Amino acid sequence: MATVVAVENLNPKVLQCEYAVRGEIVIHAQRLQQQLQTQPGSLPFDEILYCNIGNPQSLGQQPVTFFREVLALCDHPSLLEKAETTSLFSADSISRAKEILATIPGRATGAYSHSQGIKGLRDAIAAGIASRDGFPANADDIFITDGASPGVHMMMQLLIRNEKDGILCPIPQYPLYSASIALHGGTLVPYYLDESTGWGLKTSDLKQQLDDARSKGIDVRALVVINPGNPTGQVLAEENQYDIVKFCQNEGLILLADEVYQENVYVADKKFNSFKKIVRSMGYGENDFPLVSYQSVSKGYYGECGKRGGYMEITGFSAPVREQIYKIASVNLCSNITGQILASLVMNPPKPGDESYAAYQAERDGILESLARRAKAIEDAFNNLEGYSCNKAEGAMYVFPQIHLPKKAIEAAKAAGKAPDAFYALRLLESTGIVVVPGSGFGQVSKSNLS
Amino acid sequence: MATVVAVENLNPKVLQCEYAVRGEIVIHAQRLQQQLQTQPGSLPFDEILYCNIGNPQSLGQQPVTFFREVLALCDHPSLLEKAETTSLFSADSISRAKEILATIPGRATGAYSHSQGIKGLRDAIAAGIASRDGFPANADDIFITDGASPGVHMMMQLLIRNEKDGILCPIPQYPLYSASIALHGGTLVPYYLDESTGWGLKTSDLKQQLDDARSKGIDVRALVVINPGNPTGQVLAEENQYDIVKFCQNEGLILLADEVYQENVYVADKKFNSFKKIVRSMGYGENDFPLVSYQSVSKGYYGECGKRGGYMEITGFSAPVREQIYKIASVNLCSNITGQILASLVMNPPKPGDESYAAYQAERDGILESLARRAKAIEDAFNNLEGYSCNKAEGAMYVFPQIHLPKKAIEAAKAAGKAPDAFYALRLLESTGIVVVPGSGFGQVSKSNLS
């Protein structure tokens, strides 16, 4: 059997791929969790606290009632014919479910949909984008996906021909990008966010990294920007966004804008601007600038990670290229309909005047205020801890502190054959049950590493 | 912009990939559907009938009530605390939803789960497999996926290193396999199902194709078997399955068993046997024979395509290889929880004594009888039509008729630059609104082609 399938004869791209947020430390945490179940009291803590990934409902965040009402009604539409339903569900969740079902051919929430997603739901998403940005959006540009990740994979699959194709990615970066580039056999071209200026992004650094990659024969195809930042929590300033767009235009790069934290801004002096809005404000039209914008139901105040809903909005690509994107989407048939419905809901939540609006608003604001409070609390806690420093948590759901470990800890890590920050994270887990991701897992280097 | 992203500078693997069941004819059908909406009466038919893919709920099949009750309750768990719920939902759907929620950490159906799926749901699936086969199954061997397709992609990604890696696939085949192999840059090694013996599979033909591929330097890694057959509708005989397992064992091949139609057998003299059962019956244990078995909530009597639920059961792989499979799964975080719950339900439906059992049984049998009746009707219709012949529809959801087109039709097709069967399918669509897939889209060759 060993010769039939062994690590030695697997796809080397798979072997090279790393995905720190679900890697060694998380696997160890799952083992400890099982130990807690079979031998309660055998560890110095009673539960595992998973802070390795933005997964708010696993930490007790409650889903927004209106969204779940609509999902339940769409899952079991015969409820809509029962008298008791009106006392169990809000009036606007009932009318919204009816509207949604009316846009689904045959009201069949159990049927494969169009591979880009149900047209009526894409219309709702496009309307939400237009109202957010003040510029029109088109349902034909929307690809609804199972969370944002499949959309990222699709674009990497489309653009990467071989190891000479490069994608500019921020460091530190959400490791989906390095993992997806590795799986598709391309080259990650790093650009470094500047910790000393609150994870600033300078186009002069972009230019230097780009030229350096080009001098090595790398064909750099696209620039990934994560705004608000994952895992660094910064929010881009508007002028900075204009510079980035100009840079892409001058250099012939596609802009891949990861905007899944668009609702998560915690400071008064910063505001989320979509790159679509920036690009249109600069006068570029539908065919002038290749842009992919990602959104997900997993983040924001909704936090519906398990529902796997999201979309990418694709503008500035020619019809023949779009056909190829559609083909890739079609090989997976369609994304899940529950996630599709939820994606339409987060982009079109209850409005003033709707029965649910007050409750929705209270839930939404409560969650966002709690996230902001906790972001500030953890930022302050780190900055008051010896050997730690931490930038302002402006947005997203993460902070990326710098830790100065004592020499002996670094030596102990070396002796154990681990990176110092990975060693620290393992010891933190074993002592407290708290799961974090070492900075090296995000590609962060030396000095500003967790070391 | 053309130089930034154009068809010429896309990944050639994407360009080469074809996916006939959602290809040119379906795209044309979608255009006609829009035309019917904007200009009713402008075509010789009033609706499009999509027969290009097994999508039963799009053709009016109703979902099983019990499944949808449980999904609605899990989507909106606060229903479980309301008195009215007991009059709206069956008692066992309520108790099942409570059981399921109890296995989900924090009852959080909106949280990312373990990348293989929620452990309690995998336990339920393993119990269902064990009860189906009479051999034990292990939750650790189950990877719950968004339908069966992502599991197929995962295995292709794992096994294919370059174009010298081959996968043996039946012809005609469900084009997911050719598409996935093309996207991952491998070689499809065809073996031909024999139309004259009811789409029989001979291991002597397998051997010949394998040797032929090996003589060309292809490292053949795995054998794909689709049982019941897609698109050919045959059901493998037990002895044939033993031969296939022996063949894989002798030749050092992984067996990829697509068993998503396991509930769809329409003839009294045939019975579905899982390859897991066959392999265990032959005395191979957990570590002796590398087997991947695929199941989906999209098919059977459930037909829940839009919910994107399914699983693969992986046995006979070493721990280091399984770690790599887990890593690929983890890069996509997890499959959607609604689909995960549904996968556990179809493998553990209501039992005699449960309140829902009688209704469930009536719905299930009604759907399966209707599918069997329609399979027979369409088989008979084709065999009574001039120029058509059609094998028995033993299982799955398809028939693959042979059509003899007149010379003039073939000439007209040539003049239009189309394969004769594709030309026929387009004309059928334009005359009737019925969407079918030309046999050439399944890789079928010359004589037994739709030509």
Side-chain angles (χ1 to χ4, degrees), chain A residues 144-158:
Chain A
I144 309 183
T145 47
D146 291 308
S149 305
V152 171
H153 289 308
M154 267 192 244
M155 292 309 297
M156 296 303 168
Q157 189 158 45
L158 187 82

Side-chain angles (χ1 to χ4, degrees), chain B residues 177 201 234 264 266 275 295:
Chain B
Y177 294 95
L201 190 174
Q234 81 285 17
N264 299 105
Y266 307 124
F275 270 105
Q295 163 67 325

Side-chain angles (χ1 to χ4, degrees), chain B residues 82-104:
Chain B
K82 305 278 173 61
E84 296 95 326
T85 298
T86 53
S87 67
L88 275 177
F89 291 84
S90 62
D92 53 336
S93 72
I94 292 173
S95 59
R96 184 69 78 96
K98 285 180 179 168
E99 272 171 43
I100 288 172
L101 289 168
T103 73
I104 301 179

Side-chain angles (χ1 to χ4, degrees), chain A residues 237-312:
Chain A
E238 199 170 336
E239 314 81 69
N240 206 182
Q241 292 184 273
Y242 284 110
D243 288 345
I244 292 166
V245 170
K246 273 180 230 155
F247 174 77
C248 288
Q249 187 73 351
N250 290 340
E251 300 293 346
L253 298 175
I254 299 160
L255 180 55
L256 303 177
D258 180 338
E259 299 179 327
V260 303
Y261 295 96
Q262 56 190 260
E263 300 277 2
N264 299 107
V265 177
Y266 308 124
V267 287
D269 58 334
K270 287 287 182 79
K271 180 175 167 297
F272 168 78
N273 292 295
S274 78
F275 270 105
K276 171 94 176 300
K277 177 180 166 187
I278 298 291
V279 165
R280 291 288 174 275
S281 306
M282 292 170 77
Y284 296 120
E286 169 70 28
N287 297 314
D288 299 328
F289 185 92
L291 170 69
V292 183
S293 162
Y294 296 98
Q295 163 67 325
S296 166
V297 304
S298 302
K299 311 303 172 186
Y301 57 89
Y302 10 98
E304 293 275 20
C305 308
K307 296 297 179 188
R308 312 309 292 121
Y311 69 81
M312 54 179 183

